[in-house]
Structures are given as C-alpha cells and as structure tokens.
Amino acid sequence: MSARTAGGGPKLGDAARSVWGKTDRRGTSPVGWLPLWRHLADTADVAGQLWDHWLGRAVRRRIADELPGGDPDGRTLAVWIAGVHDIGKATPAFACQAYALAERMRDRGLGYHRDLVRADRRYAPHATAGQLVLADWLQQNDWIDPHPYAVVVGGHHGVPPTDAGLRDVQVRPHLLGDQTWRQVQQELLDWMAERSGAGERLADWGDVPLSQPVQAALTGLVIVADWIASNEEFFPYVLDGTDGERLRSGWEVLDLPVPWQPAAPPPGVDELFEARFALPAGAVPRPVQHTVAELADTMPVPGMMIVEAAMGEGKTEAALAAVEILARRTGASGCYLALPTRATSDAMFGRMLSWLSRLPDTQVGRGARDVRLAHGKAALNPDHDRLRRTLLPSGIAEDAGGADIGVHIWLAGPKRTLLSSFVVGTVDQLLFAALRGKHLVLRHLGLAGKVVVIDEAHAYDVYMGRFLDRALEWLGAYGVPVVVLSATLPAHRRAALMQAYDAGRLGPLPKPTWRDRGKPKVDPYAPLRTDLRYPLVTVSAAGRGATASTCADSGRGVEVAVRPLADDLPALIELLRDQSTDGGCVLVVRNTVARVQETAAALRAALGPDVPVSVAHSRFMALDRADKDRWLRDTFGPPGTGSRPFRHVVVASQVAEQSLDIDFDLLVTDLAPVDLVLQRIGRLHRHPRDDRPARLATPTCWITGVDWTTEPPQPVAGSRRVYQPATLLRSAAVLLPYLDGTPLRVPSDIAPITQAAYGDAPVGPMSWQPAMTEAEARQRDAFDAKELKADGFRLAAVGEPGVPLIGWLSGGVGDADDRTARGHVRDTDGESLDVLLLVRTPAGLVVPPWVAGGGEVVPLDSTPGWRLARSVARCTLPLPRSMTSADVVDDVLAELEGRFDLSAWQDSPWLAGELVLDIDGDGNGRVGPFELHYDLHEGLRVARAEQ
C-alpha cells in the first residue's frame, strides 16, 4: 500500500480527492459521503484478500496461467482491476447525481454543462463510462486492444456493455468530461497502477489476449470485492485509520470461510470408501466404484467422466470419491451436485453432509466448511435451515477427519448461490450458467473452482440439453472437472456431452481448408455412439474423444419378467387381487397426476380396507411432500430401515423413478420412454430379501397405459402429452421381445435396450413402420423447434482468446430471479406457479391444522413473526399445468392477487411476493373455473367446472 500524506489519504491532488464515490443512504456517516479514492482502495484491498484467502487454487491458476508472471501477476491484475472498477464515477455523467457534492467538485475545477449532461447521462452508466476511460488510458500506455481487460470494468454491474452502448458514450464526449476531468481520471489511474504494482506489469500484459473465461472470472471477482467494500457494516463511511486497519477490521467482521484444500486420500480404494462412507460391516466398494476411483486418479485433467451403471450400484458414492480425487489433482475447492428435482436435491443434501463430516483438509485450523442447498424452497429443508443458523467459520478441520459445517450468512445472499464451497441443488443452477442473464459471471465464478457432478443425466430433455451442452462447454473452458451419472444414458448423448465439454476444453474444431479435400473425415466421438458395454465409465482423452472402460457388475443381476396389461382399471384390480393374495408391496407408476389419483380411488374402492393404498406425486404441499418422501424411504427402503408392511399398494407419478432408494415386490407402470421404464424397474426387487411372498418371488413388471390391441400400440392421451409419441413407440418396440416371454436381464440388457430405443435404426415390426416414420418426423420438427427456442436465450459459445465480452449478455433475460430464469431453461407449456395453502376459518386464515404449529391464525394486515412466517412458507403448493397454461394463467394470477391484500407481508423474507390459495375446512376451494380439493393423503385435485 502506498505512503500516506500527513492529512490522511493518498498523494492525490485536491480535484482527484474531491470526486465522490458513494453517498450515505443510512444516515450513519459523520461525513455523509465517501470519496472515490477511498472506495477504490477498499475494493482493491478486498480483492487482494479474496485472492489470498478465499479464491480457490483452481480459479487462481486459471487466471494466472494466461499471464507471463504467473500467480503474482494474477494477484496484481485482480487487485488493480478491482481498484479501477469505478473510474467511470470520475465523470460528469455520474457526478451530477449529487448536486452538493458535484458543486464541491466544481469548486476544484471539475465543471460541466449541467443541463446537457443531465439530459444525456442515461447514455453513460458509470460502468460503461469506466470501460472507455480505462481503455483510453491503456491505449495511451501503448496498448493496441485494451478492451479484453477494460470490459471487466464495463461489466462490473452484471452486464457488459454492447458496442452500441459504447458508441453512445463516445459520440457524447461531454459525458466523460473535458481535459480537466481527463487529468483527474489519469491521476487516479496512475495512482492505482502504482499502488497495486500493476504499473510495472502493464507493458507485459498488453500483448496477452485474455480468454473469455478469465475475463468473466475477473469480473465476478471484482463484483464480489465491490459488494463487500460497499457494505457499510464492513467498510463504514469514515476516513480515519490506515488502509491496513480499515481492511483488517472489515475482513474480520465479514469472516469468509477459507477454501477447502483436500488432503491426500488413503492409499487404496477400499480404505478410501471405508473412511468416507458409512458402509455396512464387511462391505467393500463395488466394481464400478473401484473403476471410478482409479480412473479419477489417472484420467487427463481437466476432463470429464461419464459413469453408466445400474440403479443401486453406488454411483453417488463413486462420484463423491471422484470429487475428492479430482479436487486434489486440479486445485478445486468444492463441488456442485446437480439433480433433476427439489426432492432429489433434498435427499442428496443429507448424503453430502454425511460425506463432508468425514472429509479431511490438508491444514488443521482452516475453519468450518460452507454449504448451500440451491433451489427455490431450500429454506424449508430442516438440515439446511439448521445450518443457516450456524456461525461460520467455527470448527477446526482435522487431518484425519471432517470439519464443522454451516451456511455463511453473506454467501447465502441473493445471486451468490454458487459461491459457497459445497452446493447441492437442482440442475437449473447449472443450466443458468448457459442463460444470458445479469450477474452471470457470479455463477461462472462459483462453478469455476468446483468439481461438478451431474446426476440422472438421462432425465434432461432436448430443450434442457441445449443449455446443458453449452454449460459443459464453458465448464471445459474453465478447466472444471465434471462427473456425469446415469443408469440409462443414450449413446448419442454420451458422445454429445463429451463433444460439448471438449469444445470448451480444447477449443472448437478447426474449420476444414482446401488441404482437407478428399481426406476421410475422422469423428473422434464416433466410438462413443456404438459402445454397448455396461457398466461403462468414459473419461476424456488427452486430445479430442474419450476412453471408455467397462468393469464387472456387482453380481446383483436379476431377470425381470415383463408382461403387457390392458389399460383398464378392472384388469389392474384383478391383477393386484391375484398377485397380492399372500401379501406384498406393489408400486403402480402413472405418467400423470390425474391418472395417479383416478387409479388410487378405484383401487381403494375395489380392494377394500385390507389393502392399503397410498399415493405419491408432485402436487402436495412442500411439507407434506417431504413427509411423503421420507415415509417412502422409511417404509420401502433397504432391509432394516423401517417396518415394511405385509401388504401395501403405492400409486405414484414420476417422483418414484428418481433418486429414491425404495424396493417393491411387484411393479405396474405406464409405458414411458425406455430409459424411464428401466429406472422404474430399478425399484423392483432392488435389495435382497428373504421375506418376499412366494407368488412375487420372480420380479415382474407389467406395462400398461397403452392399447396393446392396435398396431402399433396406442399410448394413452395423458402419456402422449407428457412424452413424444415417437419415443413411446420406440420404447414399446424394443420392449416387445420381452413382452413375448424373454426375461429382461438387469443390468446386462440395459445398454442394448437403451441404445436401440434412441438409435437411428428402425425397430419394431414392419407393420409399425409407417406410423413410426410419421411420428419420428413430427418429433424431429418438435425437437428443431425446441432447440431454436432454447437458443433464443442461450449463452454464446466460448469465443477466441482476446475477444472481449462486449455484448455477451445482450438480448437475454435481464435481471431475472431464479423462478423466472427456471422458466427459460425448462420447456413447459405454462408458467411454474406456487401458492401458499391456508385454511379459511371464522377466525381468519390459519396454517393447515395437520402440520406442526397448525391452526394458528395468520395475520394479513401485519408481518407475521419469524416462526409463523416460516410455518406458512412451508405450506407452498405447486399448481398444475392446467391452471398455468397460457390461456388461463393471467386470469388465475389476477384472481389470486386480488383475493387478499398481502402488502404487509412484503417485508418478510419468507413471504414476500407469495400468493395465497385458501380452502375451507373440508379442503375445498375455487379459483375461476377451477374447483379444487386438497387432502393430506391425496394431495391437490383440480377439476374444471362446466361452463
């Protein structure tokens, strides 16, 4: 830090010292404002602390490797660029906003044409102005193209300027100031160059073409430093004390957790799994877990690993072992575990916490680890809520064990979701990394220092796949290791995922030239599209392409009898009566919630009280859904987890096919895409049991939801709305041999069935082909339309090194919250709309009486207390698509918004922006033409009233 004058502050002239940077909005400052130089110095000093004590080794290395001086250059660049980020405030366009302070500056020679500047100042936001000021200064220092560096300043408010935005300022030079202003700008820039040490390095950096990932990472780092330095709690608006004292005080109050530095793992795979996971006595890692751990230690890094293995083979534990190994090899300081749904994320969060409690660090005393559950209802997860109240850092990591765990309050703030070290969440947070939106660089900064695990990779459709592929490209460009998990991944997706990652890791394929004429085209990913081995672990090659390895399965293979069943409730009732004579637990999976509820009602009426029937689907309140998932795991989980009933039928939607360790004696499922049918079969005889009823000793899956008497078979209307008809027909075609009596062998038949269903070759009888050809043509058109729709908001591919991020986010979703952004990365026919379900009584609206704290009256004219507000927030309920489709959603929203005045709730972090759906004591309600009924055991029923 520079020497200080006797009067305090840097050696700057009066004019430069008079430039204001911030005004006191809280009224707590004795001076009422903060000079620009003070805020620039604070931000530079915070950036240095972030580099030294918070930023992970992988991100530091990614930035430093592009600079001639390595890590010292990286730190100097980060400190310098943070220290000049607000140079655009030293302009008339910014100064005129505070009249008294601008007049004070005018007294020191910084005048301007007041009316002209005020009329045009909208063209020169200070970040855009700052990019031009810095670029001009760098060009005076003999830089040819300064914008790959200057755009960091231009983008520090979340969106880099466009070319048009920069030109708007350039043609209005009065917004940047006259020669006196330029002298002050140069004085401040010269001062920060000297203070940061960048002045001695600028000549060497001028010829370095910063890559776009490094530009983005630096911008994210500057935003974090700026936000911290702008927080009056950490850096108050006072000018006494030295720079060092000010930094030390603010940093101690902030108290950010330090990055994880993984210790060397135990010497063998068996020892690693024994140390990190609660294995049963005598258990050893399964073959696929051995293979994953061994390949993680030898594969090229950065690189991607794709793990394909049967359900229940321990892929999650294998991935966590790979995270530890890859983090140690690459310098990653955390991980992001991406899952398809909130429910699967909640289940995974507990498993990650258990793993973290056993995860060591290289240095004792580094403090507790910060974690985050990343989805819209994370605050309702009891484990996450408990950790939100844990002060960080508080624990001491040990070289032989884990550390305390908690949620850091500052990192838990808005737009900082991925900045915590260990994050579990829905895949949306990863897809947002490929969505053009404000503050995208913060998502990139958070991901750049992690190992990313993508679970259930088969669950993402064509639309989501476009965002996933682009996100993988950027992860490859950052050098982020990625682990992809799936039991049923189509081979073409295996190749596409690897190719997308390589496009970032190695750059785009070179365009062919005239020299390539006549040469055979070599596709390095072609072998991935035809490899039918299983289990299969595929890892990046040193160049383009990949290396695939198989291994033995765990020896838990089963032969499943697959049988057709007419889509007829009497046929289903007769089947269950016959098969459950001696007891048994039956899972019936339907493709729509309406079919779940219809089926459950019919079974109850026909089977009577001796055969309990339960339902599981997505249309429950959040609290009830969590209880339902917990009940499923406890009741139908592995042996020893709970009291398994003698006889029970569960009718479920797709919630039963993902990430739930549940085990049933008999399965009946609607026809679905074959990979999802196989996922459902993974819930059949999942664990060895000695007490299965003799009649159900052979695992049997009955396929219904389709008219088997037609050629080709006709899936029911609800299934055709959820899935592409062509995909359903190809699923039926590849299952046809098994319907005729050939047992389906799990896991050995998983790969050939999946690849045949998603391949290009015709499948099924000749008589089916005309209908299938027509359906596949319609599917191609639909997929093309989905890809085009996705590309409207998708981030561009990684540009060539030295191409600045100017215009990077133009035409995007703007400053969208997560709920809005989710609507852009998932292809739905309607909006996603959640409401808070409350019960209407004579005393007023109350929390539903069946939940903890139920029956309490909820005030509408005042903000509920923290405890009550949390109870209300746990009553969130998703409305069905029939109520959120484009033709009705506006009317539904208008009625719900007009039903109650909730303005008093807007100060509650739990309840702000929420809508209330009220029902009477019998569970009945109405919204517009929709009649609703909610039941603790059945969830929400919706029927459209006759017009």
Side-chain angles (χ1 to χ4, degrees):
M1 298 179 187
S2 64
R4 306 175 58 83
T5 64
K11 295 177 180 178
L12 293 170
D14 284 348
R17 291 166 62 87
S18 74
V19 178
W20 69 274
K22 292 187 174 294
T23 56
D24 179 21
R25 297 179 180 177
R26 299 167 61 180
T28 58
S29 168
V31 294
W33 64 288
L34 197 70
L36 177 61
W37 67 262
R38 177 68 275 165
H39 177 60
L40 294 180
D42 288 341
T43 308
D45 293 345
V46 169
Q49 290 291 98
L50 291 171
W51 183 278
D52 294 339
H53 303 294
W54 178 74
L55 203 61
R57 186 161 52 97
V59 183
R60 296 199 310 268
R61 182 186 298 162
R62 182 66 183 87
I63 295 170
D65 282 353
E66 294 194 1
L67 300 170
D71 190 81
D73 261 7
R75 187 187 191 281
T76 301
L77 174 59
V79 170
W80 168 68
I81 203 74
V84 299
H85 76 284
D86 265 353
I87 191 62
K89 290 183 175 180
T91 61
F94 180 83
C96 72
Q97 297 177 93
Y99 176 78
L101 296 176
E103 288 302 297
R104 184 175 182 275
M105 294 167 60
R106 184 189 296 274
D107 292 342
R108 288 156 178 79
L110 296 175
Y112 59 92
H113 192 297
R114 185 179 304 153
D115 293 338
L116 183 60
V117 168
R118 284 182 174 174
D120 288 347
R121 67 164 305 274
R122 67 184 183 279
Y123 293 107
H126 74 267
T128 302
Q131 178 170 338
L132 290 171
V133 170
L134 178 60
D136 181 66
W137 181 79
L138 288 171
Q139 286 173 329
Q140 293 176 31
N141 281 272
D142 300 324
W143 282 40
I144 296 174
D145 181 11
H147 284 286
Y149 293 75
V151 75
V152 176
V153 169
H156 84 267
H157 273 273
V159 180
T162 63
D163 285 315
L166 292 169
R167 283 195 299 272
D168 282 340
V169 182
Q170 289 173 317
V171 299
R172 297 171 176 86
H174 54 279
L175 296 174
L176 300 181
D178 58 18
Q179 181 61 33
T180 306
W181 285 90
R182 286 193 291 274
Q183 289 174 354
V184 165
Q185 293 158 4
Q186 180 169 342
E187 185 179 358
L188 288 166
L189 291 170
D190 288 344
W191 161 67
M192 184 53 66
E194 178 185 358
R195 184 183 192 276
S196 64
E200 301 172 0
R201 304 299 304 144
L202 290 174
D204 291 332
W205 296 345
D207 296 328
V208 176
L210 277 192
S211 68
Q212 290 190 335
V214 169
Q215 294 174 46
L218 283 170
T219 306
L221 183 63
V222 169
I223 291 173
V224 174
D226 182 26
W227 285 1
I228 293 171
S230 299
N231 190 314
E232 293 178 52
E233 181 182 358
F234 308 142
F235 293 90
Y237 289 7
V238 294
L239 299 179
D240 54 349
T242 66
D243 290 352
E245 291 168 346
R246 186 173 173 86
L247 175 63
R248 185 163 51 253
S249 173
W251 191 256
E252 288 176 356
V253 175
L254 175 63
D255 207 9
L256 281 180
V258 295
W260 169 51
Q261 293 188 11
V269 175
D270 289 5
E271 292 81 1
L272 173 63
F273 276 74
E274 182 181 2
R276 302 292 181 264
F277 307 107
L279 300 179
V284 296
R286 294 179 176 140
V288 71
Q289 295 173 329
H290 259 283
T291 301
V292 167
E294 290 164 356
L295 288 174
D297 202 34
T298 59
M299 64 182 280
V301 289
M304 182 162 76
M305 171 186 289
I306 302 175
V307 183
E308 299 169 66
M311 299 69 70
E313 286 292 289
K315 294 188 293 295
T316 297
E317 289 74 17
L320 292 175
V323 165
E324 180 177 355
I325 296 168
L326 290 169
R328 181 178 54 83
R329 295 183 62 200
T330 63
S333 54
C335 65
Y336 180 65
L337 308 183
L339 295 105
T341 65
R342 293 175 186 167
T344 54
S345 301
D346 283 340
M348 183 63 72
F349 188 64
R351 298 172 72 178
M352 185 187 75
L353 294 179
S354 176
W355 170 68
L356 281 178
S357 69
R358 300 177 174 89
L359 191 65
D361 199 297
T362 56
Q363 296 185 42
V364 175
R366 296 193 65 85
R369 301 203 181 94
D370 56 314
V371 300
R372 187 81 186 268
L373 179 60
H375 62 63
K377 303 300 177 185
L380 305 182
N381 179 284
D383 288 334
H384 188 263
D385 186 52
R386 170 178 54 82
L387 293 174
R388 287 193 325 120
R389 298 193 294 272
T390 300
L391 297 176
L392 275 179
S394 59
I396 301 298
E398 300 176 359
D399 57 0
D404 285 355
I405 302 163
V407 176
H408 191 278
I409 188 169
W410 191 86
L411 294 176
K415 304 189 178 184
R416 303 165 213 170
T417 301
L418 297 179
L419 295 180
S420 293
S421 297
F422 297 92
V423 187
V424 175
T426 58
V427 73
D428 305 308
Q429 296 293 335
L430 176 60
L431 303 185
F432 292 162
L435 181 70
R436 299 197 305 276
K438 191 174 184 181
H439 292 114
L440 177 64
V441 291
L442 292 179
R443 299 189 189 278
H444 281 215
L445 179 65
L447 290 169
K450 292 179 172 59
V451 179
V452 172
V453 178
I454 304 169
D455 199 6
E456 308 277 8
H458 55 273
Y460 310 124
D461 61 19
V462 169
Y463 184 89
M464 296 172 71
R466 294 290 284 181
F467 287 97
L468 179 59
D469 290 354
R470 185 53 49 80
L472 285 173
E473 178 180 343
W474 278 88
L475 292 180
Y478 282 109
V480 172
V482 176
V483 181
V484 177
L485 308 178
S486 178
T488 52
L489 187 68
H492 72 90
R493 281 302 291 154
R494 179 196 307 150
L497 294 173
M498 191 63 73
Q499 186 170 359
Y501 184 82
D502 278 356
R505 181 174 70 111
L506 304 171
L509 282 166
K511 295 180 179 179
T513 67
W514 62 269
R515 295 185 180 86
D516 299 307
R517 292 176 184 170
K519 293 181 180 179
K521 292 184 178 180
V522 177
D523 180 0
Y525 308 98
L528 299 183
R529 299 187 183 93
T530 57
D531 197 332
L532 300 183
R533 293 176 294 169
Y534 194 85
L536 193 68
V537 182
T538 307
V539 298
S540 298
R544 296 184 194 277
T547 302
S549 305
T550 190
C551 61
D553 59 47
S554 63
R556 303 186 309 140
V558 296
E559 291 190 347
V560 178
V562 183
R563 301 287 183 263
L565 180 67
D567 188 56
D568 177 64
L569 285 173
L572 175 62
I573 291 165
E574 186 58 34
L575 172 72
L576 297 190
R577 277 183 177 145
D578 175 67
Q579 294 293 304
S580 63
T581 301
D582 301 325
C585 297
V586 181
L587 176 63
V588 180
V589 183
R590 298 303 209 189
N591 290 339
T592 66
V593 175
R595 279 174 63 83
V596 169
Q597 294 172 331
E598 177 191 19
T599 301
L603 292 179
R604 282 197 193 94
L607 300 178
D610 292 338
V611 183
V613 178
S614 301
V615 301
H617 54 74
S618 59
R619 214 178 294 165
F620 280 93
M621 282 195 327
L623 190 62
D624 295 342
R625 170 75 185 277
D627 289 342
K628 181 74 68 172
D629 287 347
R630 192 177 306 111
W631 173 80
L632 283 171
R633 291 192 297 267
D634 292 345
T635 307
F636 305 103
T641 57
S643 179
R644 189 175 179 89
F646 171 72
R647 184 187 288 114
H648 205 108
V649 178
V650 174
V651 187
S653 67
Q654 293 89 336
V655 300
E657 75 192 21
Q658 293 175 342
S659 299
L660 282 176
D661 189 0
I662 49 179
D663 174 17
F664 288 87
D665 303 315
L666 178 69
L667 174 66
V668 181
T669 175
D670 282 351
L671 178 68
V674 75
D675 52 321
L676 304 186
V677 172
L678 292 169
Q679 289 287 333
R680 297 171 188 183
I681 288 175
R683 276 63 189 156
L684 177 63
H685 288 222
R686 187 180 180 93
H687 297 287
R689 291 185 183 276
D690 298 328
D691 57 350
R692 294 194 195 275
R695 191 181 290 263
L696 303 178
T698 298
T700 304
C701 171
W702 294 82
I703 308 288
T704 184
V706 60
D707 184 353
W708 293 110
T709 65
T710 64
E711 286 204 355
Q714 179 78 350
V716 296
S719 296
R720 298 197 306 274
R721 285 195 299 270
V722 176
Y723 304 113
Q724 281 287 335
T727 304
L728 294 173
L729 289 178
R730 289 189 71 91
S731 178
V734 299
L735 290 171
L736 195 59
Y738 303 98
L739 296 173
D740 289 337
T742 302
L744 191 157
R745 298 168 301 158
V746 177
S748 56
D749 286 343
I750 289 178
I753 290 176
T754 302
Q755 308 318 332
Y758 287 98
D760 296 326
V763 291
M766 287 299 297
S767 59
W768 294 17
Q769 297 312 306
M772 294 184 72
T773 300
E774 181 181 350
E776 287 170 2
R778 289 197 300 268
Q779 178 174 271
R780 281 193 297 273
D781 290 343
F783 284 175
D784 289 344
K786 289 178 185 293
E787 290 181 354
L788 188 63
K789 178 182 175 183
D791 289 350
F793 294 99
R794 191 172 67 139
L795 189 65
V798 182
E800 293 290 328
V803 175
L805 292 177
I806 295 171
W808 191 48
L809 303 179
S810 62
V813 299
D815 194 13
D817 59 20
D818 280 8
R819 176 172 163 265
T820 303
R822 187 175 186 269
H824 289 291
V825 299
R826 290 184 183 252
D827 184 36
T828 59
D829 296 332
E831 292 190 37
S832 172
L833 183 59
D834 290 354
V835 294
L836 300 175
L837 188 70
L838 298 178
V839 177
R840 189 173 59 252
T841 72
L845 297 180
V846 302
V847 176
W850 59 85
V851 305
E856 185 171 356
V857 175
V858 183
L860 300 183
D861 56 355
S862 62
T863 304
W866 185 92
R867 182 192 56 78
L868 178 57
R870 183 178 180 275
S871 295
V872 174
R874 292 166 68 85
C875 298
T876 182
L877 171 71
L879 295 183
R881 191 172 300 179
S882 61
M883 295 182 68
T884 62
S885 58
D887 60 327
V888 298
V889 68
D890 289 341
D891 292 337
V892 169
L893 280 170
E895 177 163 344
L896 291 174
E897 288 170 348
R899 189 168 285 187
F900 303 105
D901 179 6
L902 302 178
S903 55
W905 287 13
Q906 303 316 302
D907 292 331
S908 169
W910 293 99
L911 304 177
E914 299 288 353
L915 297 171
V916 167
L917 172 64
D918 58 310
I919 57 175
D920 62 25
D922 295 324
N924 299 313
R926 182 165 183 141
V927 178
F930 299 99
E931 294 180 348
L932 302 91
H933 179 79
Y934 188 86
D935 181 88
L936 167 63
H937 304 291
E938 299 302 305
L940 179 67
R941 288 179 177 273
V942 177
R944 190 157 189 165
E946 296 293 336
Q947 298 295 320

